[in-house]
Structure formats: structure tokens, C-alpha cells
Amino acid sequence: MTSKKKAVVLVSGGLDSTTVLAIAQSLGYDCYSISFDYGQRHRAELQAATDIAKRQGVVAHKVVTLDLSTIGGSALTDPNIPVPEQETSGIPITYVPARNTVFLSIALGWAEVLEAQDIFIGVNAVDYSGYPDCRPAFISAFEAMANLATKLGTEGRQLKIHAPLIDLTKGEIINKGMALGVDYAETVSCYQADGAGRACGKCDSCRLRKEGFAQAGVDDPTPYQS
């Protein structure tokens, strides 16, 4: 039997969440990774998440199916809304309403089943895309709610939501991941990646990713469609 602490890690198959998984493992946690098939148009990330979880040796990997396309409101879940290929101001149309709230809630439920008091998520408030559910205030509020709403919390076993990337630039994230052995060529960040996981090179996520490799001073290993 293992004596390590358990952690649930949200893994999307992208750059940030893959880094967070490596960080959690480096801290000595037994990691249980969770991904979401939520009706996203960039479905190659799901296979990347499964492959990464297996390669990094998680204890278990779970894919939960949620169809957020039924409520729409985002270019990531509604094929009739184009993904922007130029930088926009304000909260972008690629924001998926309540996504991190929903994802963290389900991760919290699994954490209760596992009796894991730690949940890791790869949100970032520095080089983020303007999403309100990537801010420190949201993480703090969710953690407070989690401790009020759960059996673990009411029994005094405090739950912690870890967001180790929240104050880092994309370049700093990449340098940290590379130091932990992350192969970013295996990750998929693009909002409109093709079936093989190749990136468009034009969307907001691709732009932030490219800038990150430039900041880190390393070659961009991302496979592009052209």
C-alpha cells in the first residue's frame, strides 16, 4: 500500500495542465488525472491527455463526458461561432461559460471518493486569455466553497485547490516543465487542432503558446498544419 498523498489533477492535454501534472508528481503525490469530453471542437486534446497521463504514470485516468455544447455560447463548443484568429479585447468568445466551475466540481467529487484532499488545476492569470475563471479570486472562492460543501471539509480534512501556474508567464511555465522532463511536442493547445493534433498557428491559444516558447528561449516543438 502506498503512503503517498493523493491528488486529483485536471489534465486537458495542453501545455499548462501537462506541466501541472509534472509538478504534482514532483511534489510526491500519487496522481489521479481527469479530463472532460465536453463537446469541444478541438477533440485531439482528449487523446493527448490520455496518452500523457499514461506516459507520466498516473495511478488512474478518467474521462468524464459532459455536453456543454447543449448550452453553447462559446466558439469552442458551437461550430457556428468561428474561432477568432486575431487578438480581441475583453472576454473572448472562446470562453466557455462556467467551464472551470463545472470541471472543478466534478474533480472535487472524485477527490471525495478517493479521500484526496488536493486538487491541481493549470489556470494562469498572467498570460491567460481573459477568462474570469482563471483568476486567483475564483480559485480562492472555489476552495472555500469546497470546504463548506463536502464531507471531507466538514470533518476537518481541509481541501486545497492548487494552481501552481497562476502567477507565472508562459515562458516561465515552459522552463519549469522542461526542467521536469515535459515533452511539449506531445501536448495540444490549439482551439482548432486537426484530427492529428496539428495546430492552426492562428488562434489565441496558438499565439500565447508561440510567445511562451519565444520567452523561454527554446525552439517551438508544436506540429503545425502548415
Side-chain angles (χ1 to χ4, degrees):
M1 295 288 289
T2 179
S3 60
K4 286 184 178 181
K5 291 201 297 183
K6 299 175 182 177
V8 173
V9 184
L10 281 75
V11 176
S12 69
L15 183 153
D16 292 340
S17 69
T18 302
T19 306
V20 167
L21 176 58
I23 290 171
Q25 290 180 313
S26 75
L27 294 173
Y29 287 93
D30 273 337
C31 293
Y32 295 74
S33 57
I34 187 167
S35 301
F36 297 91
D37 182 351
Y38 64 95
Q40 65 268 52
R41 65 199 298 166
H42 48 311
R43 300 184 60 78
E45 69 174 14
L46 283 170
Q47 187 60 54
T50 299
D51 292 344
I52 288 164
K54 181 178 181 181
R55 197 154 33 246
Q56 293 193 206
V58 302
V59 179
H61 177 67
K62 186 182 294 292
V63 179
V64 175
T65 300
L66 301 165
D67 193 359
L68 296 183
S69 69
T70 58
I71 63 170
S74 171
L76 300 192
T77 56
D78 185 343
N80 296 314
I81 302 175
V83 173
E85 295 187 349
Q86 286 80 37
E87 189 172 356
T88 58
S89 59
I91 297 174
I93 194 62
T94 50
Y95 163 67
V96 179
R99 180 176 62 178
N100 283 346
T101 306
V102 172
F103 288 2
L104 278 171
S105 295
I106 294 172
L108 175 62
W110 196 24
E112 278 220 274
V113 171
L114 295 169
E115 297 192 343
Q117 293 174 239
D118 299 273
I119 298 172
F120 284 77
I121 185 171
V123 294
N124 175 256
V126 178
D127 283 341
Y128 81 138
S129 298
Y131 300 158
D133 55 1
C134 289
R135 297 174 298 166
F138 167 73
I139 296 299
S140 296
F142 191 94
E143 181 176 289
M145 181 279 297
N147 281 291
L148 289 170
T150 58
K151 181 175 182 287
L152 285 177
T154 56
E155 290 177 345
R157 290 181 282 174
Q158 289 291 298
L159 290 142
K160 175 69 177 175
I161 310 297
H162 300 263
L165 311 184
I166 203 155
D167 294 321
L168 302 183
T169 67
K170 193 68 77 178
E172 290 170 337
I173 292 167
I174 290 167
N175 282 329
K176 182 175 284 288
M178 291 183 68
L180 293 171
V182 173
D183 181 357
Y184 287 113
E186 299 172 343
T187 63
V188 177
S189 302
C190 178
Y191 291 151
Q192 45 192 358
D194 65 14
R198 294 177 300 179
C200 72
K202 301 173 183 177
C203 69
D204 192 45
S205 186
C206 281
R207 177 181 60 81
L208 290 173
R209 184 177 167 116
K210 284 180 181 179
E211 291 174 0
F213 285 110
Q215 291 168 2
V218 297
D219 291 336
D220 181 356
T222 308
Y224 289 100
Q225 294 168 25
S226 61

